[in-house]
Structures are given as structure tokens and as C-alpha cells.
């Protein structure tokens, strides 16, 4: 039995809703299903305004445009993140100032931010790694003190909370992803959350190619035209119809993923007690949304051997980000400042298979195989 790293889950109604969208005659964006999805987020999580986008990358690009990020502006974010977090701001001319990870877990170290703030700093972009919140009180305090904007990259953070506040709803702006590797999927898809009223009107304009078409469709104006910059950030109704079927099942999806997570955790905690590996940390004030289950190995070599040991049984575990500050595209701009903890997670963290249809038996098999690896008395330093 092959156990892939990820397997997209279908709730069963996706094609039914797509068919409905097709035959209803409205295929472009901002139709019935787009509105249903946006309303779902506004009602369930109390977000002020939600706009469906074609990806989280696009939603982040909209954030950079909304904040008027320009050449010379500085934006603070973790190095241990996906390319898009940085790229969206780099496209507007920003210089990215990378922060190191925490010692206990890969999220950015909120205590390391203040020393990096300069007169050019415009925004802080916390990334909620594995759906576990960054220390948002500290980030929002710094934002208030220095008059900065906060954009939450909550691509992995759906249905997760910080002090009872939903992730994506704490900063001025927030973004989600519905890429097929996330908890709730649409193939490719994303969402922009606008928590600060002053961005709402302009966000709709950027979303609709720089036109005020959205307010035209609501009957607020009698003709629409080109009023600002923007792009075609909105997905078609086919994407929204697929997504809506997923959202209707979000509670079952979350329940199953969180249960998978706990089965892994309970199965592996003996190895952590024996200092063979480290398990994920859900920090104080944060919740766990079952997005990911990772372990932290004691060495890069040990991780490579464990990956092979699992692969022999057709179990596919994968490592994650390579620090962005060392990337071919950005290392010369970043310079020499070292971020050892970000590099540590690049070299030691391993993600185990995690998806809705992952069975208890499969997790048992993975846990046993990992235990077998660490129980081997032979040297693993070779
Ligand atoms: C998945 C992910 C993205 C990108 O999402 P897309 O929808 O694929 O553009 C950005 N940031 C983080 C942290 C992610 O995990």
C-alpha cells in the first residue's frame, strides 16, 4: 500500500456545483458561488470583507498594492516560508528584511523583530506555519508603536485561532490558500481578508482590473470605468463552485485532520521523550488546525536516512522550505546576516503524510516504521 505525502480530498459535491455553475450561464468571476464562499468566511469567522482570488500568491500581491509598497520600502517577514510571501512584495520594489525562526518551532521570532525596524519599514508579514499562530499580540504592539501594517500570511491557517480570534482576522489584511495541498482546496485558489475598513473599496477595484465594476453590479453607480491600477485577481465561478463544496464540509475535514495529528503525536511522543526527535509545538494562545504533522530530526543526515527508510515501505515524507535569505534570487540582496534557526528547520524538519483519507492503519504503519528506524542499534552517523 503506497502512502503518498498528500492526497486531495473530494467531498462529493464539487462536480455537482460546477455543473450547476455551468448551466446557470454565469462562468466568469463574482457570481453566485463566489458570493457564497465569501459570505461563508464573513459569517463563520466574522471577517469584515473577504474577496476570493486565484491564489494566495495573488492575494499577497493585492496586499502589497493596497499598502502602496514602493521601491526602497522594507518589509519584515520570516525566511522560513514559501517564496510567494516575499515575492509579492519584491514585485512592488520592496527590500525584504528576514527574521529568524523561534527555537521551539519554525514560526518567526516576534522578539527579534524590533531590532530590524527602520524608518523605511512599512509592514510586517507573519506566516502562521503549520496553522499555528505567530505571537500576534507582540506583532500588533510593534505595528502600533511604529505605525506599520500587518499582513497575515494565513495560507496554512484556515480555521485556526489566536486567543479566540481567527487567523487572518487579526492584522490589517490576511490571506488564505486553497491550493490542493491545503486543508480546504480548489485546485488553485486563494482569499484576501480585509480587516481595516479603509482598504475595502480599493481592494474591490484592484480585484476587478482597476475598474469600479463591483460597485456597478451592486447598482451603486450607473456606469463603470478604469479608476486605478489592478489586475484580474478573481477566479471563475468554476473554481468557486468547487470551493463551496469543500467549505460545506469544513467541520468534518478539520475533525479528521486534527484526529490524524493526535494519532501521530501520541504514537511518537515516546521517541521525543528519548530525545530521538522533536515533535510540533502548539504555542500558548494558539490552536492546531491539523494542517501539517512534522518531526524535527537531530541531523540532516539522519533525516535523509529516515526519508529513505520510509520510502522503502512506499511512505512518502518530505522536507520543506529552504531559507529564502539563502536563495539564489535573494542571497546577494540579503547579505551576510545569519539566520541559524531558519536554516536549522530547512535541514532538520520532515513532514509526514497528512490528508483527510489517511487511515488509522496507515498512521500506525508510519509510526511503527519511524520507531523501527530509531530503535535500530546500529550507527546512523555514516
Ligand atoms: C501555500 C502557501 C502560499 C501560496 O499559496 P498559493 O495559493 O499556492 O499561491 C503562500 N504562503 C504560504 C505560507 C503557503 O503555505
Amino acid at each position: 500500500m503506497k502512502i503518498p505525502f498528500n492526497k486531495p480530498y473530494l467531498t462529493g459535491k464539487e462536480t455537482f456545483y460546477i455543473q450547476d455553475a455551468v448551466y446557470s450561464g454565469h462562468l466568469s468571476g463574482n457570481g453566485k458561488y463566489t458570493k457564497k464562499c465569501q459570505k461563508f468566511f464573513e459569517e463563520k469567522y466574522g471577517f469584515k470583507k473577504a474577496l476570493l482570488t486565484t491564489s494566495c500568491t495573488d492575494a499577497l500581491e493585492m496586499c502589497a498594492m493596497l499598502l502602496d509598497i514602493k521601491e526602497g520600502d522594507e518589509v519584515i517577514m520570516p525566511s522560513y516560508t514559501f517564496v510567494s510571501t516575499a515575492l509579492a512584495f519584491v514585485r512592488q520594489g520592496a527590500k525584504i528584511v528576514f527574521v529568524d525562526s523561534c527555537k521551539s518551532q519554525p514560526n518567526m521570532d516576534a522578539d527579534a523583530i524590533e531590532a530590524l525596524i527602520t524608518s523605511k519599514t512599512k509592514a510586517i508579514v507573519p506566516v502562521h506555519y503549520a496553522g499555528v499562530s505567530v505571537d500576534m499580540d507582540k506583532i500588533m504592539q510593534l505595528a502600533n508603536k511604529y505605525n506599520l501594517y500587518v499582513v497575515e500570511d494565513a495560507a496554512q491557517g484556515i480555521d485556526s485561532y489566536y486567543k479566540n480570534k481567527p487567523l487572518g482576522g487579526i492584522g490589517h489584511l490576511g490571506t488564505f490558500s486553497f491550493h490542493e495541498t491545503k486543508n480546504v482546496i480548489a485546485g488553485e485558489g486563494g482569499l484576501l481578508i480585509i480587516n481595516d475598513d479603509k482598504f475595502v473599496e480599493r481592494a474591490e477595484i484592484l480585484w476587478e482590473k482597476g475598474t469600479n465594476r463591483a460597485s456597478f453590479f451592486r447598482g451603486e453607480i450607473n456606469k463603470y470605468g478604469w479608476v486605478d491600477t489592478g489586475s484580474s485577481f478573481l477566479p471563475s465561478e468554476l473554481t468557486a463552485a468547487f470551493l463551496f463544496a469543500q467549505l460545506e464540509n469544513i467541520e468534518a475535514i478539520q475533525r479528521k485532520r486534527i484526529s490524524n495529528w493526535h494519532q501521530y503525536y501520541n504514537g511518537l511522543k515516546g521517541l521525543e521523550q528519548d530525545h530521538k526527535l522533536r515533535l510540533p509545538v502548539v504555542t500558548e494562545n494558539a490552536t492546531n488546525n491539523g494542517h501539517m504533522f512534522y518531526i524535527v530530526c537531530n541531523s540532516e543526515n539522519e533525516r535523509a536516512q529516515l526519508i529513505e527508510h520510509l520510502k522503502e515501505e512506499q511512505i512518502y515524507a518530505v522536507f520543506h522550505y529552504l531559507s529564502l535569505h539563502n536563495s539564489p534570487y535573494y542571497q546577494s540582496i540579503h547579505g551576510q546576516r545569519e539566520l541559524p534557526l531558519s536554516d536549522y528547520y530547512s535541514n532538520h524538519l520532515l513532514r509526514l503524510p497528512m490528508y483527510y483519507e489517511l487511515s488509522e492503519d496507515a498512521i500506525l504503519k508510519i509510526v511503527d516504521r519511524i520507531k523501527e528506524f530509531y530503535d535500530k542499534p546500529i550507527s546512523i552517523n555514516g
Side-chain angles (χ1 to χ4, degrees):
M1 178 185 64
K2 183 179 160 180
I3 307 177
F5 171 67
N6 178 56
K7 185 174 173 209
Y9 169 61
L10 299 180
T11 69
K13 279 192 113 175
E14 285 83 355
T15 51
F16 175 79
Y17 287 142
I18 289 175
Q19 201 165 17
D20 179 51
V22 169
Y23 290 114
S24 77
H26 183 145
L27 294 178
S28 62
N30 202 9
K32 176 173 88 178
Y33 283 103
T34 299
K35 293 192 174 95
K36 276 175 178 285
C37 291
Q38 291 175 174
K39 191 161 162 252
F40 174 90
F41 281 95
E42 288 163 3
E43 286 180 354
K44 183 169 171 71
Y45 300 107
F47 297 143
K48 196 160 287 168
K49 177 84 184 169
L51 289 175
L52 221 53
T53 58
T54 53
S55 65
C56 179
T57 305
D58 262 6
L60 287 162
E61 285 177 17
M62 286 183 72
C63 293
M65 294 168 97
L66 283 168
L67 300 186
D68 269 324
I69 298 294
K70 291 186 290 294
E71 196 78 40
D73 289 343
E74 293 179 0
V75 177
I76 295 176
M77 65 179 64
S79 178
Y80 194 74
T81 183
F82 190 59
V83 176
S84 302
T85 319
L87 185 58
F89 294 88
V90 167
R91 290 175 83 258
Q92 293 283 122
K95 175 168 195 280
I96 307 301
V97 177
F98 290 112
V99 188
D100 209 357
S101 295
C102 296
K103 211 173 161 70
S104 65
Q105 39 94 22
N107 271 340
M108 76 183 195
D109 180 1
D111 290 323
I113 294 173
E114 191 161 16
L116 300 170
I117 294 173
T118 72
S119 59
K120 293 177 182 165
T121 308
K122 264 292 205 41
I124 306 174
V125 186
V127 178
H128 305 298
Y129 187 77
V132 173
S133 180
V134 173
D135 187 345
M136 288 306 291
D137 276 355
K138 237 173 240 166
I139 305 249
M140 297 313 290
Q141 277 160 17
L142 286 173
N144 285 332
K145 181 170 171 190
Y146 293 98
N147 208 13
L148 308 174
Y149 289 116
V150 174
V151 176
E152 294 176 73
D153 180 345
Q156 302 171 18
I158 194 166
D159 205 48
S160 203
Y161 293 80
Y162 174 81
K163 292 192 172 175
N164 299 319
K165 285 178 272 189
L167 302 190
I170 303 166
H172 301 84
L173 299 165
T175 65
F176 290 98
S177 172
F178 308 117
H179 185 265
E180 75 165 38
T181 52
K182 306 301 201 273
N183 291 26
V184 166
I185 62 174
E188 301 275 359
L191 187 75
L192 171 66
I193 302 298
I194 301 130
N195 301 311
D196 185 329
D197 277 326
K198 76 174 177 203
F199 294 119
V200 170
E201 193 184 335
R202 188 158 182 247
E204 270 190 343
I205 291 169
L206 301 186
W207 189 60
E208 279 273 30
K209 302 108 183 150
T211 72
N212 48 7
R213 186 154 69 173
S215 68
F216 170 74
F217 283 140
R218 282 196 299 267
E220 293 162 8
I221 48 175
N222 55 24
K223 58 177 194 271
Y224 78 86
W226 184 14
V227 297
D228 202 334
T229 184
S231 191
S232 187
F233 286 118
L234 71 177
S236 90
E237 278 286 284
L238 305 183
T239 298
F242 189 108
L243 180 63
F244 187 64
Q246 296 264 315
L247 294 175
E248 280 188 327
N249 284 280
I250 192 167
E251 272 159 37
I253 292 172
Q254 293 300 95
R255 216 178 302 122
K256 180 59 166 60
R257 293 186 75 112
I258 291 167
S259 147
N260 291 351
W261 194 98
H262 285 288
Q263 197 192 338
Y264 271 129
Y265 194 91
N266 293 327
L268 294 171
K269 69 183 175 204
L271 287 176
E272 184 174 54
Q273 281 154 7
D274 293 342
H275 306 288
K276 302 281 194 193
L277 48 72
R278 274 168 48 201
L279 295 181
V281 173
V282 179
T283 47
E284 196 188 358
N285 305 320
T287 62
N288 165 31
N289 69 349
H291 174 60
M292 184 194 297
F293 194 90
Y294 65 81
I295 61 175
V296 183
C297 298
N298 283 328
S299 78
E300 192 173 357
N301 181 47
E302 190 173 287
R303 181 178 71 176
Q305 292 191 31
L306 177 56
I307 290 172
E308 285 310 311
H309 183 75
L310 293 170
K311 205 182 274 172
E312 281 165 21
E313 284 292 318
Q314 297 194 71
I315 298 163
Y316 295 88
V318 292
F319 52 83
H320 212 183
Y321 305 127
L322 302 173
S323 296
L324 295 182
H325 73 283
N326 292 329
S327 62
Y329 188 64
Y330 220 73
Q331 63 184 351
S332 63
I333 305 167
H334 172 78
Q336 298 301 311
R337 189 168 51 86
E338 291 193 0
L339 303 174
L341 290 162
S342 176
D343 290 340
Y344 184 85
Y345 289 108
S346 294
N347 296 332
H348 295 77
L349 185 145
L350 183 65
R351 294 178 294 161
L352 303 180
M354 173 58 92
Y355 47 91
Y356 182 91
E357 288 168 272
L358 188 63
S359 67
E360 279 186 31
D361 285 350
I363 297 176
L364 209 57
K365 178 175 165 180
I366 298 165
V367 166
D368 283 347
R369 189 78 183 154
I370 294 173
K371 283 183 174 162
E372 183 187 296
F373 176 80
Y374 283 105
D375 283 347
K376 264 195 274 183
I378 56 158
S379 161
I380 46 169
N381 299 320

